[in-house]
Amino acid sequence: IAILGLFVRLVSRFSNLVTGAITRDSVRQALTHGITADQIIIFLTVNAHPQMQNRTPVLPVTVTDQIRLWEQERNRLHPTGAYFYKDFEQRQGFERVFRYAQDIGVILWANTEKRQMVVTRQGHAKIAELVKGQRASSAQTPSAS
């Protein structure tokens, strides 16, 4: 029952019966504690009532799909530190920096028509050195934010 409490909102408890609701919030709470959707599904399958064990699949597909969807929803975005380069005065300067960023594999996003790109935090130092070198040799002045 203690394990159920990790991913189920318990409603009532009797000597031989426990009722609860698997909700988005209860599953998300379990996910934040390191429990995966597959672990929840396996636990529910292994501990299902004997009458449910005779069914194939043991758990309704809609239940397993929803638990997996809630996990995917949580894992959809991961914050990443990055720098946004814009305002290149000349296409030539942008293309030089863009090619260099591609070569070292630090581009997260780019719009070549607008002369904009986002680079990783680690790549920013290398890009900044290149841009400083360009500034010294010409009037290129992109800004990073």
Side-chain angles (χ1 to χ4, degrees), residues 53-120:
Q53 294 285 348
N54 295 330
R55 297 176 45 189
T56 303
V58 174
L59 298 176
V61 175
T62 55
V63 172
T64 58
D65 285 350
Q66 187 60 60
I67 293 170
R68 286 190 177 106
L69 284 171
W70 284 329
E71 181 179 50
Q72 287 175 357
E73 178 182 278
R74 182 178 181 277
N75 297 334
R76 187 174 56 200
L77 298 175
H78 298 283
T80 302
Y83 286 84
F84 179 50
Y85 283 85
K86 61 180 183 170
D87 299 333
F88 286 85
E89 292 178 7
Q90 295 179 0
R91 176 161 291 287
Q92 180 183 6
F94 170 78
E95 288 174 355
R96 187 176 306 128
V97 173
F98 178 75
R99 278 193 306 273
Y100 178 69
Q102 272 186 317
D103 290 345
I104 63 173
V106 296
I107 294 180
L108 296 173
W109 174 86
N111 183 329
T112 55
E113 290 183 22
K114 292 184 178 181
R115 300 181 197 156
Q116 298 174 341
M117 69 178 148
V118 176
V119 299
T120 63

Side-chain angles (χ1 to χ4, degrees), residues 122-135:
Q122 296 81 5
H124 171 64
K126 293 178 181 180
I127 300 293
E129 288 176 27
L130 178 69
V131 170
K132 285 178 188 176
Q134 283 186 355
R135 280 189 205 157

